[in-house]
């Protein structure tokens, strides 16, 4: 009996110790789990705060991409391989950084006047201005016109300058014209030449319009019109005294003003040393055929100084004055020759039976006309980006 009681006491003690050990183990596990949950929560909060700006940036980028789509941005072929890291094709699980970088890689940055709105015209470029004097002598019945000087004329030659001279008419008579001397390689010429229209009664003089046309002299081809000025003489209040005027030149209506416009995009890749020219489309081209239409194509020349380096051309669009080309042409241009490089774009009319006709030209370089220089600078300022702009075709 005594032994049984002692055994029972021993078993009870062992059971109590086991319960105590189990309770202690459960308590330790509970504390450990609570501590682990606290650490995980703290880490989540820290990581959330750290990643929050990146998520907001991603949201902003997506919103920006949506707005860009509404503008119908044009995508070109330039720099497509640069949209994803080397050796890894793009997928739908790109990181926030890759997403933000891709937005600046292939979006077209349109310059003013280059939106896909056919109602807007090309950039109104400045053609310079001219200074002249006009006066009438009642005693001699003579109209005196003095051509004094020009200022800020656009460059028409490959060398970045022009050879300007001035033609004078008394409209509506176009048979009798007078001309100044040619000033070689000068964008701010001084002529200081006097011209006399003798034997004109005052009544007839007031019915005339003084027309001045500034042109760039070309020895081997047709002279290029730069700009014009027209002044009805009946609007001059005191024609009996010499009056001096500064007048801004306007596009010549018998030349560049009726040749149409061309939408071109440029993309400069400094890593590959290439300029990609995308001929997008033209509008309101001058009709060169008897049927009132044209068969246009575009010819491109890469020029280094006055030397022709490379030639390319588009396909011909039959019987169309508003053709869409969408053709891209890469040119290799090392960085050290950029300032001496000109890209000549010529819109031609294809003729099967005779010589092809020139509809109009564009000279793109850092020293061409104001609109061309703006496009060139926009291209250089936004590398690896297609920059599109409308250009008025010139004679």
């Amino acid at each position: 009996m005594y032994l049984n009681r002692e055994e029972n006491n021993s078993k009870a003690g062992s059971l109590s110790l086991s319960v105590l050990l189990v309770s202690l183990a459960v308590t330790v596990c509970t504390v450990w789990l609570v501590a682990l949950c606290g650490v995980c929560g703290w880490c989540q909060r820290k990581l959330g705060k750290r990643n929050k700006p990146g998520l907001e940036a991603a949201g902003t980028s997506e919103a920006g991409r949506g707005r860009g789509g509404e503008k119908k941005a044009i995508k070109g072929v330039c720099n497509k391989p640069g949209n994803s890291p080397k050796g890894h094709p793009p997928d739908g699980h790109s990181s926030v950084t890759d997403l933000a970088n891709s937005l600046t890689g292939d979006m077209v940055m349109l310059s003013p006047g280059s939106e896909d709105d056919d109602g807007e015209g090309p950039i109104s470029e400045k053609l310079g201005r001219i200074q002249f004097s006009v006066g009438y002598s009642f005693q001699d019945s003579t109209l005196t016109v003095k051509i004094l000087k020009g200022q800020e004329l656009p460059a028409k030659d490959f060398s970045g300058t022009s050879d300007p001279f001035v033609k004078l008419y008394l409209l509506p008579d176009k048979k009798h014209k007078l001309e100044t001397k040619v000033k070689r390689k000068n964008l701010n010429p001084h002529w200081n030449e006097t011209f006399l229209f003798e034997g004109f009664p005052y009544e007839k003089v007031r019915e005339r319009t003084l027309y001045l046309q500034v042109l760039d002299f070309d020895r081997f081809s047709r002279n290029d019109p730069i700009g014009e000025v027209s002044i009805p003489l009946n609007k001059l209040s005191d024609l009996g005294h010499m009056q001096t005027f500064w007048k801004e030149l306007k596009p010549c209506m018998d030349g560049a003003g009726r040749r149409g416009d061309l939408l071109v995009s440029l993309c400069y890749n400094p890593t590959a040393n290439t300029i990609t020219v995308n001929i997008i489309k033209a509008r309101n081209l001058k009709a060169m055929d008897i049927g009132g239409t044209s068969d246009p194509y575009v010819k491109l020349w890469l020029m280094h100084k006055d030397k022709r380096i490379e030639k390319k051309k588009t396909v011909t669009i039959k019987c169309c004055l508003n053709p869409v080309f969408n053709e891209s042409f890469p040119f290799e241009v090392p960085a050290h020759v950029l300032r001496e490089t000109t890209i000549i774009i010529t819109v031609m009319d294809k003729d099967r039976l005779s010589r092809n006709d020139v509809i109009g030209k564009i000279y793109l370089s850092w020293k061409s006309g104001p609109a061309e220089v703006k496009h060139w600078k926009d291209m250089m300022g936004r590398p690896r980006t297609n920059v599109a702009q409308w250009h008025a075709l010139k004679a």
Side-chain angles (χ1 to χ4, degrees):
M1 172 92 53
Y2 179 77
L3 291 174
N4 289 337
R5 184 181 297 173
E6 196 172 288
E7 288 177 2
N8 290 336
N9 290 339
S10 176
K11 290 179 178 180
S14 297
L15 182 61
S16 299
L17 181 60
S18 298
V19 172
L20 180 62
L21 290 175
V22 171
S23 301
L24 183 60
V26 170
T27 303
V28 171
C29 289
T30 303
V31 172
W32 183 81
L33 287 173
V34 170
L36 183 61
C37 291
V39 171
C40 290
W42 180 82
C43 290
Q44 274 191 330
R45 289 192 298 272
K46 286 295 183 181
L47 290 175
K49 290 181 180 179
R50 184 176 299 174
N51 291 336
K52 188 174 182 180
L55 296 175
E56 289 176 352
T60 304
S61 299
E62 291 293 341
R65 178 176 289 184
R67 288 191 296 271
E70 292 174 5
K71 290 185 178 180
K72 299 181 181 179
I74 303 167
K75 294 185 179 291
V77 298
C78 185
N79 199 37
K80 283 186 177 180
N83 295 338
S84 59
K86 187 176 181 180
H88 297 278
D91 54 28
H93 303 284
S94 300
S95 65
V96 173
T97 304
D98 293 338
L99 176 63
N101 289 339
S102 69
L103 290 178
T104 58
D106 55 7
M107 289 288 287
V108 176
M109 306 297 291
L110 296 178
S111 300
S114 61
E115 297 274 351
D116 220 6
D117 180 4
D118 289 338
E120 294 186 8
I123 294 177
S124 57
E125 61 174 315
K126 293 184 178 179
L127 301 175
R129 56 182 187 157
I130 186 173
Q131 187 186 44
F132 58 95
S133 299
V134 183
Y136 182 78
S137 171
F138 290 93
Q139 182 177 357
D140 301 327
S141 298
T142 300
L143 179 71
T144 302
V145 179
K146 293 183 179 179
I147 306 299
L148 301 175
K149 57 185 176 180
Q151 195 173 74
E152 298 177 354
L153 301 181
K156 292 290 186 177
D157 300 335
F158 300 149
S159 57
T161 184
S162 293
D163 304 319
F165 70 100
V166 183
K167 286 184 180 180
L168 300 86
Y169 299 91
L170 282 184
L171 300 180
D173 180 16
K174 272 197 170 185
K175 293 182 180 179
H176 302 93
K177 68 176 184 293
L178 301 172
E179 296 182 1
T180 68
K181 295 179 180 178
V182 176
K183 297 296 180 179
R184 298 285 182 180
K185 300 184 183 301
N186 199 331
L187 300 181
N188 297 281
H190 286 248
W191 288 286
N192 292 322
E193 296 185 43
T194 301
F195 300 90
L196 304 177
F197 294 88
E198 299 176 328
F200 269 91
Y202 182 70
E203 293 75 15
K204 288 189 176 181
V205 166
R206 290 185 57 83
E207 295 174 355
R208 297 289 194 266
T209 295
L210 176 63
Y211 175 78
L212 308 178
Q213 185 182 40
V214 183
L215 300 101
D216 170 52
F217 175 78
D218 196 322
R219 180 177 299 176
F220 303 105
S221 63
R222 179 184 176 187
N223 299 325
D224 293 327
I226 295 178
E228 66 182 17
V229 170
S230 296
I231 297 184
L233 295 178
N234 60 5
K235 291 187 177 181
L236 298 182
S237 57
D238 190 8
L239 195 57
H241 295 83
M242 292 295 294
Q243 303 177 54
T244 301
F245 303 91
W246 272 110
K247 292 292 183 180
E248 299 288 331
L249 293 174
K250 298 180 180 180
C252 298
M253 294 309 295
D254 62 342
R258 296 179 182 175
R259 296 178 179 269
D261 309 313
L262 186 67
L263 181 59
V264 180
S265 78
L266 300 176
C267 178
Y268 175 60
N269 189 329
T271 305
N273 285 329
T274 59
I275 295 177
T276 300
V277 183
N278 186 11
I279 306 299
I280 302 173
K281 62 181 179 179
R283 65 184 179 191
N284 304 325
L285 294 181
K286 182 179 180 180
M288 306 297 288
D289 298 336
I290 298 176
T293 185
S294 293
D295 302 322
Y297 70 95
V298 181
K299 182 172 62 176
L300 300 91
W301 273 107
L302 176 67
M303 308 288 298
H304 176 57
K305 294 185 177 178
D306 292 338
K307 185 179 179 181
R308 296 181 177 183
I309 305 299
E310 189 175 0
K311 173 186 174 183
K312 298 182 179 182
K313 65 178 181 178
T314 68
V315 299
T316 301
I317 309 296
K318 295 290 186 180
C319 301
C320 187
L321 299 181
N322 297 280
V324 176
F325 298 100
N326 280 330
E327 294 190 49
S328 295
F329 304 94
F331 293 97
E332 185 176 348
V333 183
H336 66 278
V337 300
L338 274 172
R339 292 179 66 85
E340 299 169 343
T341 296
T342 301
I343 297 175
I344 303 176
I345 302 174
T346 307
V347 181
M348 305 286 296
D349 171 51
K350 182 76 172 180
D351 199 324
R352 185 177 300 177
L353 302 178
S354 63
R355 184 180 179 183
N356 298 333
D357 297 320
V358 175
I359 299 177
K361 295 182 179 182
I362 302 169
Y363 296 82
L364 295 175
S365 72
W366 73 274
K367 52 188 177 181
S368 304
E372 292 83 356
V373 169
K374 179 186 183 305
H375 198 180
W376 194 267
K377 289 182 177 179
D378 286 347
M379 173 194 71
M380 297 299 298
R382 299 168 183 158
R384 302 181 183 87
T385 302
N386 288 282
V387 183
Q389 182 174 311
W390 282 104
H391 290 278
L393 296 174
K394 301 175 182 177

